[in-house]
Amino acid sequence: MEEAIVLVKDLRKKFRTHKREAGLLASIKSLFIRKYVNIEALKGISFQIKKGEIIGFIGPNGAGKSTAIKVLSGLLFPDSGTVSCLGFNPWNERERYLSNVGVVFGQKTQLSWDIPPLDTYYFLKDVYEIPDADFKKRLNYMIKILEIKEIVKTPTRNLSLGERMRCELIAALLHNPTLVFLDEPTVGVDIIAKEAIREFILKLNKEQGTTFIITTHDMGDIEKLCKRIMIINHGEIVYDGSLQDLKQSYVKTKFIDIKFSEPQEFRFGNYDGKIISKTKIEMKIEVRAKYVNKIISWVLKNYKVADITVMNPPIEKIITQIYKK
Amino acid sequence: MRYIAAIKLGLKEILAYRFEVSFWGIIALMHLAVWYFVWSAVFGYAGTTVIRGFTFQQMMGYYIASIAVDHFTFTDVDQDITESVRTGTLFKDIIRPFNIFLTYISQNVGYKILVAITQGIPLALIAIFVVGIKTTPIHFVLFMVSLALAFLLKFSFAYLFGMAAFWLTKTGGLFRIKNGVQKFLAGAVMPLSLFPAGAQAVFAFLPFQYMTFVSVQILLQKYTIAESIIKILIQILWIVIFYAIVSYVWQKARKRFEVVGT
Ligand SMILES: Nc1ncnc2c1ncn2[C@@H]1O[C@H](COP(=O)(O)OP(=O)(O)OP(=O)(O)O)[C@@H](O)[C@H]1O
Ligand SMILES: [Mg+2]
């Protein structure tokens, strides 16, 4: 359980693209003069991942998350740095490495477009040389928890986004890979399907010890799945640790919900705080975390209170603070 | 076996288009009809029964065989590659543990199974019962070998062109030119033996005649067995050459995937 199966050291990746203004004149100009710009998508990131971890890659748009996943899954070549996954170099030992890896890019499909996903699954069975019994068992199991018994028999091009996404997951996981990359696996998926996908990932992780690296913009995914998160911003890892620690070190304020037993006119006494919302009978305030206890006892002493709850700010708020740095 | 699986996948994919595919058979017959009328007119106008060593019946024999070979060796892997580069779905082939070139060939072989049924059977029936093509068992076997090789050669050539999509934004025009030139020089438009000796000498050094013409000549017993075997060996040589170029270009193309396909 304890050995690192992914070792990344000082990974860098630059993209060279050319920019031009809109318009006909600009297009003609760009035939002759091209301004190339280098985009440093990854500026030397390093990390290690142990077997059985579920890692959440989060960060704002364009941060470099997908780039990192593409490099690790062997799609892109890095400019420098070393990568070792499952003991392989993803580029030089491609076939042997990929036999143990599963990949989902939520934005693109890996299912054959004109035929039902089920036909792709039978193809993958032979590609990954999955024994008959294992194949049947896994397929039935996955179809059952993702609830797509009929869907897998429909041609891919006729599937809705959320239906397709569940089918994509099966395609990536049929061969029981040790290491799985999921790039936005819940994008465009409804709440029920999201729950199913999350349950499914957790189950595989628990039962098979599958290691997952997931990028997402959905904090629900993160809170449900990932013990450890890496926040990437501008091509750098700005936080690598547990979600719990992140909350503790970044949570400077807490929210307090108060219900009064009779209408009251509330005023902060000597304490600092912000009123978020307020009616005669109910209110929500934001206060410095340090003073929560004192404020509560002060409120209880001075007002007639029916109910009082303390809450952390939503994780989105914490993350936004970090993104803005 | 993963490549057998790719053949099956190819067959399943093409079966999704079975309606369209059944038209290909009709198109093949229409091609034949066009050439029938063209050459009837030419023979009638010339007022002879033999043109450059071909009787009318032999000419029809050539066309039916060359249409069969041309259709059977047809591949649009060049467009497939362009499309998967353009849409980025090529990623799915890169993340799977197989040789992409071999997988695409196998998928195309899967398509051929349907082509053999929808076009091979009607053309073969017409060839035997209407035109009256005759061949020997040994020539037929050699023909089948050279037909398979012609397909591999055409495929490798198309694959090479398909990779142009890694450098060019529009490939449609390029492919059309390629297809036209290839068809002509392969002898799918006109028997290459109708050309002057000088031109034929040049063709001998090009790969194109090994894509159609040579297979047809073998079937029609224009070559001795020994000559046929030599032609087959040259086909193999060309395939090896193209495969080497394909592998080399692929290494370069692969690195450009990020520019065009992600
Ligand atoms: N193939 C490419 N060619 C040029 N630039 C690219 C390419 N791929 C990514 N980039 C650029 O690199 C940066 C990182 O992109 P990346 O796709 O990794 O972001 P991301 O973190 O996945 O963002 P998102 O949350 O929007 O998916 C962006 O500025 C992007 O424009
Ligand atoms: Mg992304």
Side-chain angles (χ1 to χ4, degrees):
Chain A
M1 271 305 269
E2 281 306 301
E3 85 226 78
I5 59 169
V6 175
L7 289 113
V8 175
K9 205 152 184 298
D10 205 25
L11 189 65
R12 283 166 199 279
K13 178 76 198 172
K14 262 202 308 269
F15 292 110
R16 208 164 90 104
T17 49
H18 59 267
K19 287 227 160 89
R20 68 170 170 78
E21 308 296 311
L24 183 62
L25 206 64
S27 346
I28 294 169
K29 210 171 102 193
S30 83
L31 282 178
F32 305 101
I33 312 158
R34 283 204 166 169
K35 273 198 217 128
Y36 283 98
V37 241
N38 282 328
I39 298 168
E40 278 190 272
L42 296 175
K43 298 177 188 158
I45 61 170
S46 306
F47 57 86
Q48 297 196 358
I49 293 170
K50 294 197 196 84
K51 188 169 185 323
E53 284 193 282
I54 304 181
I55 308 283
F57 268 15
I58 55 179
N61 292 132
K65 306 177 297 291
S66 298
T67 305
I69 291 221
K70 283 172 188 163
V71 170
L72 291 182
S73 57
L75 271 173
L76 295 183
F77 298 86
D79 296 332
S80 66
T82 55
V83 176
S84 157
C85 295
L86 308 174
F88 297 106
N89 172 319
W91 311 281
N92 299 342
E93 297 157 290
R94 182 177 158 263
E95 291 193 21
R96 283 200 296 154
Y97 171 56
L98 292 175
S99 311
N100 302 302
V101 171
V103 182
V104 170
F105 286 105
Q107 313 284 359
K108 290 187 178 120
T109 183
Q110 61 172 301
L111 302 162
S112 290
W113 196 239
D114 295 314
I115 56 178
L118 199 54
D119 284 330
T120 301
Y121 300 158
Y122 277 102
F123 170 62
L124 294 176
K125 169 180 182 292
D126 291 336
V127 166
Y128 293 101
E129 290 159 343
I130 310 167
D132 266 335
D134 290 356
F135 175 77
K136 288 226 172 71
K137 207 176 76 197
R138 270 178 226 152
L139 184 62
N140 288 335
Y141 171 76
M142 294 182 184
I143 284 179
K144 208 173 120 218
I145 26 186
L146 292 171
E147 297 176 4
I148 47 176
K149 198 162 176 357
E150 292 310 312
I151 292 170
V152 294
K153 297 177 192 155
T154 315
T156 305
R157 65 180 132 80
N158 297 339
L159 297 179
S160 81
L161 180 59
E163 289 169 345
R164 204 200 79 214
M165 202 65 78
R166 283 178 276 171
C167 297
E168 301 280 346
L169 269 177
I170 295 189
L173 294 167
L174 262 179
H175 56 293
N176 200 16
T178 340
L179 179 60
V180 178
F181 300 103
L182 306 176
D183 193 3
E184 302 193 31
T186 54
V187 66
V189 173
D190 70 35
I191 297 185
I192 298 170
K194 242 179 212 172
E195 275 310 308
I197 290 176
R198 290 171 186 164
E199 284 301 315
F200 180 56
I201 293 172
L202 280 176
K203 254 199 168 112
L204 277 185
N205 171 257
K206 212 158 146 200
E207 288 165 11
Q208 315 282 340
T210 313
T211 308
F212 287 90
I213 299 175
I214 303 173
T215 81
T216 179
H217 291 291
D218 183 331
M219 287 307 139
D221 291 345
I222 297 292
E223 298 209 65
K224 201 76 193 256
L225 295 172
C226 309
K227 288 208 187 68
R228 175 175 164 202
I229 59 173
M230 289 187 206
I231 303 181
I232 302 184
N233 202 1
H234 304 302
E236 286 168 313
I237 296 181
V238 293
Y239 179 84
D240 178 354
S242 73
L243 189 59
Q244 209 51 44
D245 288 349
L246 180 76
K247 282 183 183 163
Q248 255 151 35
S249 52
Y250 280 88
V251 172
K252 297 265 155 43
T253 63
K254 299 228 179 206
F255 291 96
I256 305 177
D257 263 351
I258 308 162
K259 270 203 194 79
F260 302 113
S261 40
E262 54 194 54
Q264 309 260 342
E265 197 53 48
F266 179 83
R267 242 175 220 117
F268 279 111
N270 296 325
Y271 294 100
D272 246 4
K274 211 160 68 190
I275 295 175
I276 306 285
S277 65
K278 173 178 169 186
T279 62
K280 280 260 175 293
I281 192 103
E282 222 179 276
M283 63 183 305
K284 189 188 194 91
I285 55 176
E286 185 180 2
V287 299
R288 305 261 293 277
K290 278 198 283 204
Y291 301 121
V292 168
N293 288 337
K294 283 188 183 149
I295 292 176
I296 290 177
S297 43
W298 178 79
V299 169
L300 289 174
K301 217 158 74 193
N302 293 292
Y303 297 93
K304 292 206 170 77
V305 173
D307 191 14
I308 190 161
T309 2
V310 182
M311 284 172 307
N312 281 323
I315 182 78
E316 280 85 351
K317 204 165 166 201
I318 304 170
I319 303 284
T320 318
Q321 282 172 22
I322 299 176
Y323 286 0
K324 281 193 183 139
K325 280 196 180 156
Chain B
M1 243 291 281
R2 49 188 71 163
Y3 301 105
I4 306 266
I7 294 178
K8 283 194 266 178
L9 184 73
L11 183 58
K12 283 177 184 168
E13 284 178 339
I14 203 76
L15 281 171
Y17 289 105
R18 54 191 168 278
F19 185 70
E20 287 88 333
V21 174
S22 60
F23 272 107
W24 297 350
I26 296 169
I27 289 170
L29 295 180
M30 273 162 53
H31 277 165
L32 188 62
V34 168
W35 289 117
Y36 174 86
F37 291 119
V38 168
W39 285 103
S40 306
V42 173
F43 273 89
Y45 181 75
T48 56
T49 49
V50 179
I51 293 179
R52 289 224 181 202
F54 279 89
T55 64
F56 182 70
Q57 191 214 11
Q58 283 169 332
M59 194 61 90
M60 285 305 105
Y62 181 89
Y63 274 97
I64 196 159
S66 81
I67 288 171
V69 174
D70 194 40
H71 278 243
F72 193 82
T73 56
F74 171 82
T75 175
D76 50 10
V77 69
D78 41 10
Q79 282 173 39
D80 289 347
I81 295 175
T82 303
E83 199 177 299
S84 45
V85 167
R86 194 79 64 239
T87 57
T89 48
L90 187 69
F91 95 89
K92 72 166 187 273
D93 298 312
I94 303 182
I95 54 145
R96 285 175 184 162
F98 50 49
N99 176 306
I100 297 175
F101 182 79
L102 291 181
T103 303
Y104 277 27
I105 284 196
S106 310
Q107 252 167 294
N108 268 257
V109 169
Y111 304 159
K112 295 304 163 209
I113 296 171
L114 195 59
V115 174
I117 296 167
T118 57
Q119 293 157 73
I121 292 175
L123 285 173
L125 290 176
I126 296 175
I128 297 165
F129 297 110
V130 182
V131 184
I133 287 187
K134 286 193 182 61
T135 192
T136 66
I138 181 102
H139 275 98
F140 184 73
V141 171
L142 288 170
F143 164 72
M144 292 305 276
V145 172
S146 105
L147 178 65
L149 293 170
F151 162 67
L152 291 182
L153 181 56
K154 232 178 175 176
F155 181 91
S156 317
F157 193 61
Y159 197 92
L160 192 59
F161 267 77
M163 285 190 286
F166 285 96
W167 286 271
L168 306 176
T169 14
K170 282 237 187 299
T171 48
L174 179 71
F175 295 166
R176 261 197 296 283
I177 294 171
K178 178 209 106 194
N179 289 341
V181 170
Q182 171 182 293
K183 204 163 176 161
F184 190 75
L185 294 178
V189 178
M190 229 192 286
L192 294 180
S193 35
L194 294 183
F195 287 87
Q200 288 190 46
V202 175
F203 296 160
F205 290 97
L206 300 176
F208 301 103
Q209 62 169 316
Y210 299 94
M211 296 175 181
T212 308
F213 182 68
V214 161
S215 306
V216 174
Q217 296 298 83
I218 292 175
L219 180 70
L220 300 178
Q221 302 179 70
K222 301 285 178 188
Y223 300 140
T224 64
I225 292 171
E227 280 170 339
S228 306
I229 290 172
I230 290 174
K231 297 287 182 192
I232 285 175
L233 290 176
I234 300 177
Q235 277 187 305
I236 294 173
L237 183 67
W238 275 116
I239 293 168
V240 171
I241 291 173
F242 276 114
Y243 182 69
I245 303 175
V246 163
S247 312
Y248 175 76
V249 176
W250 174 252
Q251 296 305 324
K252 308 256 163 217
R254 179 63 188 77
K255 299 219 157 119
R256 284 187 58 88
F257 184 54
E258 64 185 56
V259 183
V260 290
T262 63

